[in-house]
Structure formats: C-alpha cells, structure tokens
Amino acid sequence: MPILDLRELAGHISALSEIMAGRQARFLVDLIRIRSYTGQERPAVERTLEELRAIGCDDVWMDSAGNALGRIGRGPRVLLYNAHLDTNEVADEREWPHPPLEPVVEGDTMFGLGASDCKAGVAAIVYGAAILKKTFEVFGDLEGLFESLSVVVMGATLEEDAEGFALRSLVERDGLRPDVVLLAEATDLTLRRGQRGRCEVRVRTEGRAAHASQPHLGENAILKMLPVVSALEGMNGSLPVDPVFGAGNQVVTMIEGPHTPNSVPSWCEVAVDRRLVPGETAESVLTGIRSVVEPLGARARIPEQPVLTHTGLRLDGPAFYPGWLLPETDPLVTAGQATAAALWGTEPAVGVWRFSTDGAYSAGVAGIPTLGFGPQEEKYVHTAQDQVDLGKLRKAAAWYALFPVAYNRQQPG
Ligand SMILES: [Zn+2]
C-alpha cells in the first residue's frame, strides 16, 4: 500500500464530509428533538445506537452505565471519541428565540437545546467515524490503520451532573480502557489540552435548639457560621496557583438550616464550589479548608454525588473532579495540529477549558492522554442562544476522520 500524502487524503475526506453533511445534520436535528436531561438519556442513546449501526460500525452496543458505543477497526490501540448526550435543563423557555426542542436552521446555523453542549459534538464524532469508514472502503487499508488501532465512538451519559462518572464506569466496570481520549466539547475548532477541576465541599456548624422566645437557652448554628463564611471567602487569594490556569477559587453557593422558623437553629450547612488547578487532591483541598474552619468550630467534608443512570445502575461517588493538563509536546497535540494543518493549511491554537469535562476522569484520575476538539463555540453553551455553525460541524467531522491517520503515523513501530 503506497503511503498517502496526508494533504491529499485530507482533500478526499473534506469532500466526503460535504457529501455526508445532509445525513449528519438530520442526525443532529433528531438528537436535539429528544429531551435528554441527565439520567434520562435513554431515547437519545437509542437514536445514537441506530446511527452508529447506519454508518457501518463493526460493533455497536450500550454499556452498563447506558452509554452509546460504536467501534470501527480491530486494532489493540483504542482511540475513544467522547461527547455527551445529556443537556443542561432549560431555565426559562420564554428567553429562547425558538422552542428549545424544535431545531431551526437559519443560514448555516442550527439552533436548539444542546446544540453547543454537546449534541453537535456527538454528530461530529459519529460522522468522523462514518467518513473514516468510507475512506477505508475507497482507499483500502490506509497503511494497516485498522490493524493497529480501533476508534470507539461514545455518546456519553451523565456529564452535566457528574462529569467523568459514566466514562469511569466504561473503563472500570466494563473494562474498556482507551489509550487516548478525544473530547468533542466546545473548542471552536481549536485544541484544548486541559481544564481546571472542581469540587464540592460541605461545611457544617452545630448548635443547640431552643424555642425562639428564649434564645439564651440555645446555641445558634447560623451565628456560628457567619465567621466561617467570611473565612471561606477570605481563602481566595491564597489558593494554589498554576502557571497555565492561574489561581483556583471558591464560592459559598448555598446555605441551609432546619426548616423551623420559630426555633434557634441547631445546625447550619453551607456548600462551597471550589475550582481546582491540576495537582490538587481531595485530601489537599480538605486539609486547607479544615485548617481555616475547624478553629471556628465547623467541620468540612466532600459529599457523595448521587448518580443514577437510565439503566438503573447507581454510580454515586465523591463530588471531586480533578483538573488536568496534557504537555504541549504530547503526540496527541502534535497529531491534532497536523490533522488541522493538512485539512485547512493552518495549525489551530492550543488552549485550556475553564469549565470541567469528562476529562476529569480520563486525564485527571486515570491518567489517559486526553485532548479536546469540537465545532461548538463556548459562548453559546448553557444559553438561550444555544447553536452550532453547520460549516464548523462539517469541518469537525473531517478532523475526526483524518485524526487517526495522523496519530498512527506518530507512533513508533
Ligand atoms: Zn458539555
């Protein structure tokens, strides 16, 4: 088999992407029409499985956490393409220019709930695999590509509430450990090589209940919490700093007590949203916070995040999602740049996300090299303007089709 010039192959792949654009857009329309809030993804998973069969995947299945999966190739080295099917919930439908579940195309823009987060990403990776499969049929074995690697496409569940939990289940419960992970979250066709992490911490004070008419007989847990809240806010400015991500931060986001308006409250609890830089651990976060709140009589813990999959499986786990950063020189980054350069003649910018993704598990916990690339734009994520540019969607599919060839060429042997 003669070695194909990457740019020549890129030309064929871009042409295939245009030819398949109609099918890809129709798949995205169907996905947007299906309501798929976290934990209720089954109809979207089934629609994705149907598309994975239609594009000719060698294997199509649903794993125990209810993720939609399709594989092409039979090689031992696994590239996992991940994008999630669950969406953020609509806060106020009246703010939307079009009904959120009724996709509308204006010019080359498709509007609809989840378009930017993350259903266009799902359409990009499914059609990346579809184009790769077609390319294989036209050009033969592409340097033995599918003997050395497999591409697994994952329409993931649970990302909005518990990013990484469904991916962890695929790896640790179902035993599919990828060699690299590509995340089709919003990057506007640039590369992302890391993210800040996040963590929830609960801080609690205890007092003693008494009738509100005789408060001197009790001990008011809310009053005990006041200096604790100030101290938690005061930690900003002395949290760990990272040269790429800057400083972490924390915000007191909720406060609770007993629902008895005529009693001195016996307890008070606040939730703290903490944003992490790579390297921070659950222990290091708790140690820092405890050193500040325990002298004020409060206790701190990381709560369990309750997670129920649409298959009925419980995946509860600590609400801790570590940050991560892939070195700029990693073969994944250089293969991503080579792919874009072959397709469009320029190397894309390489940056990091401020929000958290399924990479919190793949890179942050499992240490699997992880890279982000998607057609969606971050400014539309979780907004009433939710949309994706269909031209960028076609480009992203082409990138996902060519990437395995560029990546395979960087591997020794
Ligand atoms: Zn997302």
Side-chain angles (χ1 to χ4, degrees):
M1 175 72 200
I3 298 290
L4 274 168
D5 175 65
L6 204 60
R7 295 194 75 131
E8 197 187 324
L9 190 58
H12 291 292
I13 280 176
S14 291
L16 272 173
S17 177
E18 294 297 327
I19 290 167
M20 298 176 95
R23 278 175 67 185
Q24 184 186 36
R26 282 192 293 279
F27 173 48
L28 180 54
V29 162
D30 284 359
L31 283 185
I32 290 172
R33 281 196 179 127
I34 299 168
R35 183 196 306 274
S36 53
Y37 292 158
T38 304
Q40 302 160 28
E41 303 95 342
R42 181 181 289 268
V45 166
E46 283 171 355
R47 181 63 189 84
T48 304
L49 293 170
E50 182 191 320
E51 199 73 7
L52 289 167
R53 278 185 214 104
I55 65 158
C57 280
D58 300 315
D59 259 329
V60 174
W61 75 104
M62 188 174 81
D63 72 354
S64 48
N67 298 297
L69 293 148
R71 180 184 59 80
I72 58 172
R74 54 192 166 275
R77 191 179 285 144
V78 175
L79 307 184
L80 183 75
Y81 290 1
N82 167 300
H84 61 91
L85 287 163
D86 59 320
T87 71
N88 195 247
E89 297 195 17
V90 173
D92 184 355
E93 202 170 322
R94 290 167 303 182
E95 290 177 357
W96 287 63
H98 313 286
L101 296 180
E102 290 172 28
V104 169
V105 177
E106 286 175 0
D108 220 7
T109 301
M110 190 183 295
F111 293 84
L113 175 63
S116 66
D117 187 24
C118 204
K119 290 179 170 177
V122 176
I125 59 177
V126 169
Y127 273 81
I131 296 164
L132 179 61
K133 179 88 181 170
K134 269 270 183 297
T135 308
F136 177 76
E137 285 163 17
V138 174
F139 289 97
D141 78 349
L142 291 174
E143 304 154 17
L145 188 72
F146 292 148
E147 300 296 332
S148 57
L149 59 82
S150 310
V151 172
V152 175
V153 175
M154 175 183 192
T157 56
L158 304 170
E159 197 275 347
E160 290 291 347
D161 283 6
E163 62 271 24
F165 280 39
L167 183 50
R168 180 178 64 197
S169 174
L170 174 68
V171 175
E172 296 179 7
R173 181 183 300 267
D174 290 35
L176 192 154
R177 189 183 164 92
D179 294 86
V180 300
V181 172
L182 295 169
L183 302 172
E185 292 270 11
T187 75
D188 198 11
L189 302 179
T190 67
L191 302 176
R192 294 279 192 277
R193 64 183 179 101
Q195 62 166 81
R196 297 205 297 174
R198 71 178 181 100
C199 165
E200 183 182 333
V201 179
R202 292 290 179 130
V203 178
R204 187 179 174 98
T205 52
E206 305 274 354
R208 195 171 60 252
H211 196 277
S213 63
Q214 302 193 74
H216 59 282
L217 297 179
E219 189 186 0
N220 191 324
I222 291 178
L223 293 182
K224 278 177 85 175
M225 185 60 86
L226 295 179
V228 176
V229 169
S230 298
L232 287 165
E233 283 295 317
M235 288 176 72
N236 285 299
S238 54
L239 296 175
V241 179
D242 178 273
V244 173
F245 294 93
N249 63 269
Q250 67 186 27
V251 179
V252 175
T253 52
M254 293 198 298
I255 185 161
E256 291 183 285
H259 293 264
T260 46
N262 55 359
S263 298
V264 173
S266 62
W267 62 273
C268 180
E269 191 167 288
V270 295
V272 179
D273 177 298
R274 171 76 170 265
R275 298 290 153 159
L276 311 165
V277 298
E280 288 188 90
T281 63
E283 292 68 34
S284 72
V285 169
L286 277 178
T287 301
I289 288 179
R290 282 174 176 156
S291 72
V292 168
V293 304
E294 282 183 354
L296 299 170
R299 286 178 292 126
R301 68 188 169 93
I302 293 176
E304 287 279 295
Q305 169 77 38
V307 178
L308 179 62
T309 70
H310 70 81
T311 58
L313 188 67
R314 289 220 71 96
L315 297 178
D316 304 4
F320 184 83
Y321 310 83
W324 53 278
L325 184 67
L326 187 70
E328 239 166 333
T329 51
D330 191 278
L332 208 47
V333 178
T334 46
Q337 288 177 309
T339 303
L343 284 164
W344 310 309
T346 51
E347 287 195 349
V350 182
V352 293
W353 279 303
R354 283 192 70 77
F355 59 79
S356 185
T357 71
D358 275 350
Y361 172 76
S362 62
V365 175
I368 300 168
T370 299
L371 181 70
F373 178 86
Q376 320 91 304
E377 293 167 61
E378 211 171 316
K379 65 184 173 196
Y380 300 125
V381 168
H382 295 192
T383 74
Q385 306 302 319
D386 204 348
Q387 61 186 265
V388 67
D389 180 298
L390 295 174
K392 290 179 179 177
L393 178 57
R394 295 191 288 276
K395 282 184 152 186
W399 187 93
Y400 273 104
L402 186 60
F403 179 85
V405 183
Y407 177 76
N408 202 39
R409 285 185 180 185
Q410 302 214 345
Q411 299 304 306

